[in-house]
Structures are given as C-alpha cells and as structure tokens.
Amino acid sequence: MAIDWYEEFVDTDHTPGPDELVALYYFEPAAGISKEEAVGRIASESSTGTWTTLFTMPPRMRDLQAKAFEIEGNYVKIAYPLALWEEGNAPQLLSGIAGNVFGMKALESLRLIDASLPADYLRHFKGPHFGMEGIRDMMKVHGRPLTGAVPKPKVGFTAEEHAEVGYETWMGGFDFVKDDENLTSLSFNRFEDRVRAMTTMRDRAEQETGDVKSAFINITADTETMKKRAEMLADYGWNYAMIDVVVTGTAAVATLRDHCSDLGLAIHAHRAMHAAFDRDEKHGITMQFLAKIMRLIGVAQIHTGTAVGKLVGTKAEATVLADMVREKHTNAVDHMALDQDWGAIKSAFPVSSGGLHPGLVPDVLDIYGSDLVLLVSGGIHGHPKHAGRRHGHHAGN
C-alpha cells in the first residue's frame, strides 16, 4: 500500500510552472528500492508526505504535493508549489529541500545540487546590499580584481603583530587584510584590541598610499555578539565584516545582513565547514547551492575556491560557482546547475583563495576574469625574501 502512496509524488508528465521551485538532486536508492519509489520518497518527505499511507486527504493538500517530474539516470528534478515555502525564510527552505531527506533509509545517498528559485520567492529576499559595482565604488578599485592577504600563521599573532603584518600587506599594494576563519577574539589577540591596532595601521597606510584600505575582520560568534562586533567595526570606520557563514548558519547571516547594511558594512563570507556538506560527490549539498543561498541572503562575497590551489574543486565547478554569485541570469549546466533569473537581487564577488601564490594568478584570472577577490596569503608570507623585506621596510619608517 505504501508504494502506491509514494508513486503519487512522481509525475513524469508534469511541467513546472513559473511559480514552482525546482530542486535538482543526485540520488542512489537503497537495496531493494526502485528509482521511482526513491524519488517519490524524496518528494514526499520534503513536502507533505509521511511514512504511512493516509486514506483521507483533503484535495487542497494534494495541491501542495511535490512532484518528481524528470528522472535521468541517478538525477531527479522535483517541483514544489510555492505555498510550501515561507516568504523570505532561508532556514525553512533548507528544512524542506535539505532536511530530513538526507536521513532516509530508502536512500543510499542523496545530494542537493541546485534549486531554481521562482521570481515570487526571490522578491522576499534583499540579496547583497552593495553589489559588485557598489563594492568597487566603495574601494575605488575598477578594472582589476580586488586583492587581499591573510597574516600567516592562521593564529598566534598578538593584535599588534597582526596589525603590523596588515600594514606590510597594505603597503605591498593589497586592498584587504583578512582574518583567518578561526581567529575571533582569542586570549592573546582580542577582537577589540585587533580592531584598534588595525585601525591605526589602516589610517597610516591610507595616508601613505592615497588608496582605500580595508580588512575582513572576523566577527563570528553568537548573533548578539556579532551585532556588537559589527557596531564596533562601524565605529572605527570599517566598511566590512567577516563571518564564517556555514558555521553560524543562514538565520544568523540573515540577521547580520540587515544589521551590517544599516551600519554600511559589507559581509565577507568565509565558507569554513562547507566541505562537510559538499566534499562527498554523492551526498550532501553542493558548494554552488551554498553560495546561491548566501547570495540570496545578502553577503557581498563568498569563497569559491581556486581550481588551481590547495583545496578541492575543478575548473568547471569554479566557473559555475562564479556565475552563481555574479551573473544576473545563470544558465543551466548539466547535472551542476539549474536556470536562475536573479531579478533585482544584486551580484556578489567570488573569492578565490587557498594555496595561491603569484605564479598561479594568471590561471585563476583565466577562469574568473577580473571580477573577483583574490586572496594570496601563505604564498607571500612564506616567501624566503619576506622576513628581510619586512625588516628593511621598518628601517624606512
């Protein structure tokens, strides 16, 4: 009897309407489960279904059922009526299309690849406050990538040492100095001390170069603490805040997007923990979908990998990812992305980082073009000439 119930969620004759949200999954059924039953269970669990057959179902509820409408090998597209999704609520969307479905015994594995969001769903989200052009205007940088570097080692510097390396970085021509993902407010480098020290060095570097200088200072914490840290950054004349967006979650990021916008701060989204979701090619959530959700919520830029550095990711993935955050319309790419019109949602910068050094930069630009934020860190700070140059530089002050 239960099999019949799941089959009600499969309709290969269905054509999604413009007001339906469509999700693309890769799936592998568990032993003894047919593909049809497996996709019916995904559609059921992520919409109105339950584990048992219900004999009385009001007709209006049938209208809310998701429909698996296209099965191609181990890929399935599922259409969802718009009424299933609360307006402007990204966590609720994830609860459906990326929730219980991952724990079902009927599936050996399941991967959410992408979801095409209809115009009526998008209009309840604000997206990025600035857009790429707004960021370029703010930083007075046009026609080239924005650049930044992370003081290395990741943690260990005092606030003053960190700011000292920051000053060197800015004087070396970089636009940004970036905290690492695990540097927040540690006993030897408190957030407040770092902000003050960095502000002094930023003002000096701006005075000496005549260029706008900024930093991605990491405010990651509980939501209320992040708000206070964002306020301190604004008080000290900063225009950015950095958040580890995967670990803090979509709810906190959405709250901080509004708070930061009110303060005139752009959000630099670090993707720490993303690989827990996206590294297994058969299970979890793709990076392009994580990036899409973060653009929807409204970050100014997000890490997308390099395709040539130390972290996993292919050139094709990097291109899809860059399009996902930058383009007004992203085209479907077989088994990697669905068609998406972004409407009034502004663009965000992809951030290329991870094992980059100057020799790899041309390869990165071949993939991304000039609309990106380029982070080169260990590849500079680990250079044998770096220590000598630093001491030499101090002699000139």
Side-chain angles (χ1 to χ4, degrees):
M1 182 62 72
I3 299 289
D4 299 336
W5 166 247
Y6 290 117
E7 283 178 354
E8 287 193 18
F9 291 85
V10 182
D11 180 2
T12 51
D13 295 326
H14 180 70
T15 304
D19 60 341
E20 286 183 286
L21 185 148
V22 175
L24 171 64
Y25 294 96
Y26 171 87
F27 72 101
E28 289 182 6
I33 305 277
S34 69
K35 282 186 178 178
E36 282 68 24
E37 185 185 345
V39 300
R41 282 174 181 262
I42 299 167
S44 162
E45 183 61 45
S46 54
S47 62
T48 59
T50 183
W51 63 273
T52 187
T53 304
L54 301 176
F55 290 97
T56 55
M57 172 79 105
R60 65 185 169 77
M61 284 197 189
R62 294 211 183 275
D63 294 340
L64 292 175
Q65 288 181 195
K67 294 182 177 70
F69 67 92
E70 186 180 300
I71 307 166
E72 186 187 313
N74 288 89
Y75 295 89
V76 63
K77 287 181 186 171
I78 298 177
Y80 297 89
L82 197 59
L84 289 171
W85 312 115
E86 183 185 343
E87 301 87 344
N89 188 337
Q92 189 261 346
L93 175 66
L94 294 179
S95 298
I97 63 173
N100 281 354
V101 286
F102 289 118
M104 294 195 298
K105 287 179 181 172
L107 299 170
E108 187 64 36
S109 52
L110 180 69
R111 185 164 169 85
L112 172 60
I113 298 172
D114 192 12
S116 188
L117 311 170
D120 269 359
Y121 185 76
L122 277 183
R123 68 187 175 86
H124 297 285
F125 289 88
K126 295 172 183 165
H129 176 102
F130 294 94
M132 288 193 294
E133 278 314 301
I135 297 289
R136 286 193 174 283
D137 291 344
M138 182 169 84
M139 294 301 297
K140 297 185 170 51
V141 173
H142 296 276
R144 68 160 172 84
L146 293 153
T147 59
V150 187
K152 297 287 186 179
K154 278 189 174 187
V155 292
F157 289 123
T158 64
E160 286 68 28
E161 288 167 340
H162 184 100
E164 198 60 58
V165 177
Y167 173 76
E168 296 288 345
T169 302
W170 285 317
M171 294 307 292
F174 285 89
D175 304 307
F176 298 106
V177 178
K178 179 190 159 298
D179 284 2
D180 239 321
E181 73 279 1
N182 52 346
L183 176 62
T184 51
S185 189
L186 307 183
S187 59
F188 51 83
N189 186 339
R190 290 293 180 204
F191 178 83
E192 295 79 4
D193 297 336
R194 187 163 73 256
V195 172
R196 291 187 193 103
M198 288 287 281
T199 303
T200 302
M201 288 304 191
R202 175 203 63 197
D203 293 349
R204 186 193 295 180
E206 286 190 337
Q207 231 169 351
E208 293 179 15
T209 63
D211 297 327
V212 178
K213 301 295 182 183
S214 189
F216 308 140
I217 300 176
N218 189 3
I219 66 171
T220 300
D222 67 90
T223 309
E224 290 305 317
T225 303
M226 286 200 285
K227 284 176 160 180
K228 290 189 182 75
R229 289 177 179 172
E231 288 159 17
M232 182 177 182
L233 290 175
D235 287 345
Y236 279 81
W238 293 97
N239 53 18
Y240 261 91
M242 171 174 143
I243 302 174
D244 297 338
V245 294
V246 183
V247 296
T248 53
T250 49
V253 178
T255 300
L256 264 294
R257 184 271 181 213
D258 287 351
H259 196 63
C260 286
S261 292
D262 292 344
L263 297 167
L265 300 174
I267 294 175
H268 174 87
H270 193 292
R271 62 179 184 164
M273 202 172 94
H274 74 98
F277 297 94
D278 65 33
R279 187 161 184 174
D280 183 341
E281 292 179 2
K282 294 182 173 183
H283 195 78
I285 302 171
T286 61
M287 185 57 221
Q288 59 266 30
F289 182 72
L290 286 173
K292 174 178 265 189
I293 287 294
M294 290 305 163
R295 176 181 180 180
L296 182 72
I297 294 169
V299 305
Q301 55 209 45
I302 185 164
H303 288 230
T304 54
T306 62
V308 294
K310 70 175 179 181
L311 303 174
V312 294
T314 65
K315 181 173 177 175
E317 285 166 347
T319 306
V320 164
L321 259 174
D323 287 351
M324 197 69 85
V325 293
R326 291 192 304 207
E327 301 301 323
K328 192 162 174 51
H329 187 105
T330 39
N331 295 318
V333 177
D334 266 359
H335 304 152
M336 284 180 76
L338 296 171
D339 209 62
Q340 182 66 56
D341 192 326
W342 283 94
I345 302 272
K346 288 180 183 166
S347 58
F349 276 106
V351 179
S352 182
S353 71
L356 286 184
H357 56 75
L360 288 173
V361 169
D363 296 340
V364 175
L365 296 187
D366 279 348
I367 296 168
Y368 282 104
S370 63
D371 273 332
L372 84 154
V373 178
L374 195 59
L375 296 181
V376 186
S377 307
I380 294 171
H381 300 303
H383 195 279
K385 289 186 179 170
H386 185 251
R389 189 183 61 74
R390 276 174 71 185
H391 295 306
H393 202 90
H394 284 237
N397 289 337

